[in-house]
Amino acid sequence: MPGLTKTNEILREITTHSAEETIAFGRTLTDLLAPPKLVLLRGDLGAGKTTLVKGIAAAFEAAAEEDVTSPTFTLVHEYRGPRANLFHIDLYRVDTPRELETLALDDLRDDKSVLLIEWGEKFPRLAQESDVEIALERAGENERRISVRG
Ligand SMILES: Nc1ncnc2c1ncn2[C@@H]1O[C@H](COP(=O)(O)OP(=O)(O)OP(=O)(O)O)[C@@H](O)[C@H]1O
Ligand SMILES: [Mg+2]
């Protein structure tokens, strides 16, 4: 059970000064996010969670940056790469555990999958089962403090 190895220590920390810098930071995370992983992306609206996924998906050669868009309405976007299959999930509009069940996220989890979940902390089960938490905090108009814990 990967969840049991989570120690919650800070693995990486950075302050970025533009969306481009956040994407570049996302590109450095492939080793840390080697599958299988369940990753929670935490942060307010507009913090940069989706922006970070652009870099992660590009580095895994699963999608071009510009093809990564917010799964706000579709809830799950899938990007398949040679080393990992990324599932970018946005639970902002998912309100109950029952609605969460209908997404069947457990069925997406296998050796090659990396689940990148925005607003997953709304559900204690996901918070508990996550392997890595990436928190993004607005520190100014274009400044974002980003920390990676696992
Ligand atoms: N340093 C930065 N890092 C990331 N994004 C930044 C930064 N500075 C400015 N931005 C801008 O902030 C916005 C971040 O939007 P993004 O969709 O990534 O946020 P989000 O956390 O996914 O929000 P939501 O919860 O609504 O999905 C973008 O418009 C981006 O250009
Ligand atoms: Mg988003």
Side-chain angles (χ1 to χ4, degrees):
M1 288 251 297
L4 291 177
T5 62
K6 184 166 66 173
T7 57
N8 225 29
E9 67 181 297
I10 295 182
L11 305 172
R12 301 282 301 277
E13 242 180 340
I14 192 173
T15 297
T16 64
H17 304 86
S18 66
E20 291 67 31
E21 278 186 36
T22 293
I23 293 171
F25 178 67
R27 282 180 171 271
T28 70
L29 298 177
T30 45
D31 288 348
L32 250 167
L33 301 183
K37 288 282 182 305
L38 192 161
V39 182
L40 290 195
L41 299 167
R42 306 183 66 136
D44 293 338
L45 291 169
K49 302 179 293 295
T50 296
T51 301
L52 185 73
V53 173
K54 288 175 181 280
I56 295 170
F60 273 113
E61 300 172 75
E65 287 170 15
E66 60 271 25
D67 292 334
V68 173
T69 56
S70 181
T72 308
F73 297 103
T74 40
L75 306 185
V76 182
H77 283 172
E78 182 176 347
Y79 306 106
R80 293 188 175 267
R83 281 176 296 155
N85 296 324
L86 308 190
F87 296 92
H88 182 198
I89 298 151
D90 188 341
L91 300 180
Y92 188 72
R93 285 179 170 73
V94 175
D95 290 320
T96 65
R98 183 181 289 260
E99 283 178 76
L100 180 65
E101 286 307 317
T102 66
L103 292 180
L105 298 186
D106 287 335
D107 296 351
L108 304 179
R109 298 180 69 180
D110 62 26
D111 300 353
K112 267 192 93 177
S113 75
V114 179
L115 273 58
L116 301 160
I117 309 182
E118 302 190 25
W119 301 102
E121 70 276 13
K122 286 174 24 177
F123 300 98
R125 187 175 73 89
L126 291 179
Q128 207 164 23
E129 290 179 7
S130 75
D131 304 296
V132 175
E133 283 195 20
I134 305 180
L136 297 96
E137 218 182 322
R138 206 187 161 97
E141 175 74 26
N142 296 308
E143 282 71 49
R144 302 291 189 272
R145 258 194 295 276
I146 307 174
S147 61
V148 181
R149 289 170 188 270

